[in-house]
Amino acid sequence: MSNVIRLFTIARVALRYRLDTFCAQTPLPPSVRALLAMLRLLPAPRASRGVRLRRALEDLGPIFVKFGQLLSTRPDLIPADICRELDQLQDNVPPFSNTQFVAIVERALGQPVEQAFLSFAREPLASASLAQVHTAVLVDGREVVVKVIRPGIEKVIKQDTDLLLGVARLVEKYSVDGQRLRPVEVAENYRTTIFDELNLQREAANASILRRNFEHSSMLYVPAVYWPYTNENMLVMERIHGTPVTKVGELAACGTDFKVLAERGVEIFFTQVFEHNFFHADMHPGNIFVDTTNPRLPKYIAVDCAIIGTLSAADQYYLARNLLAIFRRDYRQVAELHVLSGWVPEDTPINEFEAAIRTVCEPVFERPLKDISCAQMLINLCRTARRFNTEIQPSLVLLQKTLLNIEGLGRQLYPDLNLWATAHPFMERWLKKRLHPSALLATLKRHGPEWLEQFPQVPQLLFQALQQIKHLEQTVNARPRAPTPSRRRNYLRWFGAASLGIGLGSTYSLWQPAIAQMPTASLVLAAIGALLLLLR
């Protein structure tokens, strides 16, 4: 019954904001087309489609608002005008009762709040769609914040995400662009992400790792997690006292060096992505504060680590090389790297792809950030990639979202920042460091035990390979017109050389993007090839 009521509510909101107009060019079953034709008799909507969609999501509640926020990070899927509107979605939710909050805390701790804390604020510090935060003081005097999930929110999330998934299946089935836009994948990704946010122990673990990565950094501070008070249902962290990054006037009054602050923001982003491969993927201004104790060298403070991104070794490597090629304006290499990485089909015409990339990227360089839009460049690149049947890489979606947040932050703090000039030296240093012999030594130390464990299998693999070669030779000898011995030896030498090439080629292909995970099978093939060449 509740699902029926919810469906009725969604239909009423959709009709109020004339969301039926979004389906004007979509082939639909006759019955649905007839219904839409009747709706077109209603007065035409006055507001733009982006405004209407944003208002509809706001009326439908926090789960749909967060879904709209997710869609705003996908310019590869959503038109630019709609992305701009969805970017304005705010998640201001009235707090739930203090009595419920205290009850959840006491249930999680197994004791009254008066025993667990020296003091406990009954009024919330902040309230969002999924969680609420109160301040408290531990018995040893340390100031903390206490975060719990809204009661009953899991049921609401399941109900609404199920409905979203059903709508996505209809769009994928009947829309012209359904297969390319992959709405089911987007909806499932959203459901996974939002359910992950309900586990506060997961968020605490993310914050703990991010804090350890920047433990001795002068650029970023992450509050400490108090594990004895933290579990899946409650998170207790160090309370920080900083200036919200959005309060530019207060930062200016403190004498903050905005150029340094903006440049440090860029360096923090690239350090997380390439040095640590563990980046805060929800770096909107509401989650970032500034420590102005030393205004000439201001320090960021990051909170809310529920969403963290990582990249595969191959994606990380190819992304770095792509960025460097763009910085160097080597658009030919950008096109070739897209093919090598599998981001575009192998039969992509390189010359055409290179020209398209050059058209998008060239206007960006040698201009301050205030005069360009990285977001618009990403949108144009996505449109260009769409022409060449590019598959959107899910692992890069969070990275794209984070980069858009960094751009917005840079514009606000220091509009004259040249993002490319700041990032280019960092990328050059990172790639040189990755190819340094010390990096190879570190890889050997990390994977050496695995290789040593597999090494005893090598003789058996060699023996089996030689047995197969012997069987092949017997099969060839059994034929009526068998080749001469010299020709058989040539076959063996050719087979050996091919095996050697395959082994070394496979090793090199994986060595280059990752300098790690060197496959034992490739080395075995190379050894077989060398052995056969020696046997002559």
Side-chain angles (χ1 to χ4, degrees):
M1 184 63 182
S2 60
N3 285 343
V4 174
I5 295 174
R6 186 60 172 162
L7 279 172
F8 178 78
T9 301
I10 292 173
R12 177 175 55 81
V13 171
L15 182 60
R16 177 183 177 185
Y17 293 103
R18 293 300 308 277
L19 300 187
D20 58 285
T21 58
F22 285 76
C23 306
Q25 306 299 323
T26 302
L28 297 167
S31 57
V32 179
R33 285 203 305 271
L35 176 61
L36 292 179
M38 294 175 61
L39 294 177
R40 293 190 187 102
L41 298 176
L42 297 172
R46 296 181 179 179
S48 67
R49 60 180 184 175
V51 171
R52 288 184 284 118
L53 179 58
R54 173 177 58 80
R55 291 176 178 173
L57 294 175
E58 288 173 338
D59 285 0
L60 288 172
I63 305 305
F64 282 83
V65 167
K66 290 188 75 69
F67 184 67
Q69 292 172 340
L70 173 69
L71 290 180
S72 72
T73 69
R74 298 302 302 268
D76 56 301
L77 304 180
I78 307 300
D81 60 315
I82 296 179
C83 273
R84 284 193 297 270
E85 269 311 314
L86 296 183
D87 235 4
Q88 300 178 28
L89 285 172
Q90 299 298 321
D91 202 5
N92 299 318
V93 181
F96 59 91
S97 73
N98 301 332
T99 304
Q100 283 181 298
F101 190 98
V102 171
I104 295 172
V105 171
E106 292 183 338
R107 189 163 54 249
L109 291 175
Q111 59 180 320
V113 292
E114 292 79 9
Q115 294 181 14
F117 302 98
L118 188 64
S119 65
F120 188 89
R122 301 284 171 165
E123 295 300 318
L125 177 68
S127 179
S129 59
L130 299 184
Q132 189 163 300
V133 176
H134 289 233
T135 60
V137 178
L138 298 179
V139 291
D140 60 5
R142 289 176 293 182
E143 293 184 334
V144 297
V145 293
V146 182
K147 180 177 182 178
V148 303
I149 298 298
R150 283 180 169 271
I153 194 68
E154 186 172 351
K155 180 180 178 181
V156 176
I157 291 174
K158 184 179 185 309
Q159 179 178 296
D160 283 353
T161 53
D162 285 346
L163 291 174
L164 282 171
L165 192 57
V167 172
R169 290 194 179 102
L170 291 175
V171 171
E172 187 168 286
K173 182 177 181 180
Y174 294 109
S175 173
V176 174
D177 293 327
Q179 294 295 325
R180 180 181 58 79
L181 297 180
R182 299 184 291 183
V184 173
E185 180 182 324
V186 174
E188 288 178 341
N189 177 64
Y190 169 67
R191 180 165 63 178
T192 300
T193 300
I194 198 168
F195 271 108
D196 284 345
E197 289 190 58
L198 299 183
N199 187 340
L200 292 179
Q201 188 162 320
R202 182 190 185 99
E203 178 182 340
N206 292 340
S208 182
I209 293 174
L210 195 63
R211 175 181 171 84
R212 186 162 65 247
N213 288 343
F214 286 90
E215 188 171 6
H216 303 293
S217 172
S218 61
M219 298 185 299
L220 177 67
Y221 183 82
V222 180
V225 175
Y226 295 111
W227 286 106
Y229 301 87
T230 297
N231 51 46
E232 292 184 5
N233 303 311
M234 186 175 77
L235 169 61
V236 177
M237 296 185 71
E238 171 190 4
R239 184 180 183 183
I240 54 97
H241 296 278
T243 305
V245 75
T246 53
K247 296 187 176 180
V248 179
E250 291 185 21
L251 293 173
C254 296
T256 303
D257 189 325
F258 286 102
K259 182 176 185 292
V260 172
L261 189 62
E263 289 175 347
R264 285 189 162 192
V266 175
E267 188 169 351
I268 288 170
F269 168 74
F270 282 97
T271 299
Q272 289 184 80
V273 173
F274 293 102
E275 292 284 349
H276 305 151
N277 194 17
F278 191 87
F279 58 93
H280 192 311
D282 198 16
M283 293 184 69
H284 62 77
N287 287 338
I288 303 175
F289 298 82
V290 180
D291 179 359
T292 56
T293 304
N294 183 356
R296 309 315 302 170
L297 295 172
K299 187 174 187 177
Y300 285 98
I301 306 172
V303 299
D304 194 352
C305 302
I307 305 176
I308 290 291
T310 61
L311 300 175
S312 69
D315 278 346
Q316 188 186 46
Y317 174 79
Y318 281 115
L319 176 64
R321 290 198 60 193
N322 267 284
L323 287 174
L324 279 175
I326 291 175
F327 293 153
R328 297 166 180 166
R329 307 188 194 189
D330 188 348
Y331 305 120
R332 179 76 179 190
Q333 187 177 46
V334 175
E336 292 171 347
L337 286 169
H338 271 68
V339 175
L340 287 173
S341 63
W343 295 347
V344 296
E346 292 183 0
D347 58 352
T348 299
I350 295 295
N351 290 337
E352 294 180 25
F353 194 35
E354 176 193 359
I357 294 172
R358 181 171 58 248
T359 302
V360 171
C361 295
E362 189 61 25
V364 168
F365 294 97
E366 302 302 335
R367 301 170 64 188
L369 193 59
K370 66 179 181 180
D371 295 334
I372 63 174
S373 170
C374 296
Q376 188 60 47
M377 187 189 75
L378 281 176
I379 292 170
N380 291 337
L381 280 174
C382 290
R383 289 174 177 168
T384 299
R386 189 180 302 164
R387 285 176 44 204
F388 295 91
N389 299 317
T390 301
E391 286 289 331
I392 302 303
Q393 305 299 310
S395 59
L396 301 178
V397 171
L398 285 177
L399 184 71
Q400 173 184 281
K401 171 189 172 185
T402 306
L403 183 57
L404 295 181
N405 287 334
I406 292 295
E407 178 198 23
L409 187 62
R411 283 183 183 279
Q412 185 180 39
L413 296 175
Y414 188 71
D416 290 326
L417 172 70
N418 187 323
L419 182 66
W420 315 112
T422 306
H424 190 179
F426 179 92
M427 297 305 306
E428 292 279 7
R429 291 194 305 269
W430 178 83
L431 197 58
K432 289 179 181 178
K433 182 179 177 181
R434 189 179 181 89
L435 299 176
H436 195 271
S438 61
L440 173 59
L441 182 60
T443 299
L444 290 173
K445 288 181 178 179
R446 180 179 180 182
H447 296 280
E450 301 171 17
W451 297 340
L452 288 174
E453 183 180 359
Q454 297 175 7
F455 186 76
Q457 303 174 21
V458 172
Q460 180 64 26
L461 292 173
L462 282 171
F463 178 75
Q464 291 175 358
L466 290 172
Q467 288 291 104
Q468 292 175 359
I469 294 171
K470 182 178 179 181
H471 176 71
L472 176 63
E473 185 180 35
Q474 291 173 348
T475 302
V476 173
N477 288 336
R479 292 179 180 175
R481 297 180 62 183
T484 63
S486 61
R487 291 181 64 185
R488 286 199 298 272
R489 285 195 296 271
N490 286 337
Y491 288 153
L492 290 177
R493 283 198 293 270
W494 278 109
F495 181 78
S499 299
L500 179 62
I502 292 171
L504 295 177
S506 301
T507 300
Y508 177 76
S509 66
L510 287 177
W511 181 289
Q512 192 175 10
I515 319 182
Q517 302 173 351
M518 213 179 295
T520 302
S522 297
L523 296 177
V524 170
L525 281 172
I528 293 172
L531 179 62
L532 291 174
L533 287 173
L534 289 173
L535 289 177
R536 298 179 62 87

